[in-house]
Structures are given as structure tokens and as C-alpha cells.
Amino acid sequence: MATVLTSAQTRFLRGQAHDIKAMIQVGGKGISDALVAELELALENHELVKVKVGAADREVRDGMIAQLVQRTGAALVQKIGHTVALYRPSEEKRHIVLPRA
């Protein structure tokens, strides 16, 4: 199930993501099951995560980002260059309170 955000919620999350450093890096080996599992864990613990995608070609990079979003059910908050911010609310304990829709 994909996370859907309103434009106001996306703006809010972009502001929250500004000071966050990239937690996960996708390298030349691409997206493995272990990488997706690590991203799932990071999203569950932090809800808002930055990922650095190391593909040189823009189309390959966009495909990898789409695959990460699809496999984790997260929402794409922001994409700047090689870095993307992803958000998915925690199932256990929510840390981030989003503005109303």
C-alpha cells in the first residue's frame, strides 16, 4: 500500500528532511533484498529517510527510485540530484505528526 501525501504534507516533510543526512546509499550493485530490508527498517524507525542513489544515468536513477518507492510503499517527498527523501508512517509508533489534509 503506497503512502499518499497532500501538497501541504509534502511541503512540511521537505522542511523536516532538510537537515537529515542520507542514511542509505544505493551503489553499483543496484537494489537488493537486503537493501530493501534495511530501508524498511529505517522507515519504520525514523519515518523520514534520505537515500543516495549512485546511478550516473538519470533514467536508471529514476527507475531505481521508483523501484524503492514501489517495494517499500513509501511516498517520494523530494528528489534533488542523487538524493531522495522518502516517508512512510511507522506502524508501531509515529514520530512525525503531519498537518491535516
Side-chain angles (χ1 to χ4, degrees), residues 20-42:
I20 297 174
K21 301 256 188 244
M23 298 180 93
I24 296 178
Q25 189 165 3
V26 180
K29 294 184 180 180
I31 298 171
S32 65
D33 291 337
L35 183 119
V36 173
E38 191 67 30
L39 181 56
E40 293 268 354
L41 185 63

Side-chain angles (χ1 to χ4, degrees), residues 19 24 26 35-36 39 41-43 53 55 58 64 67 72-73 75 81-82 88 93 95 98 100:
D19 294 328
I24 296 178
V26 180
L35 183 119
V36 173
L39 181 56
L41 185 63
L43 285 167
V53 181
R58 180 178 288 176
M64 291 173 119
Q67 188 177 358
T72 61
H82 292 271
R88 189 183 70 195
K93 183 180 176 198
H95 304 288
L98 294 175
R100 292 217 178 261

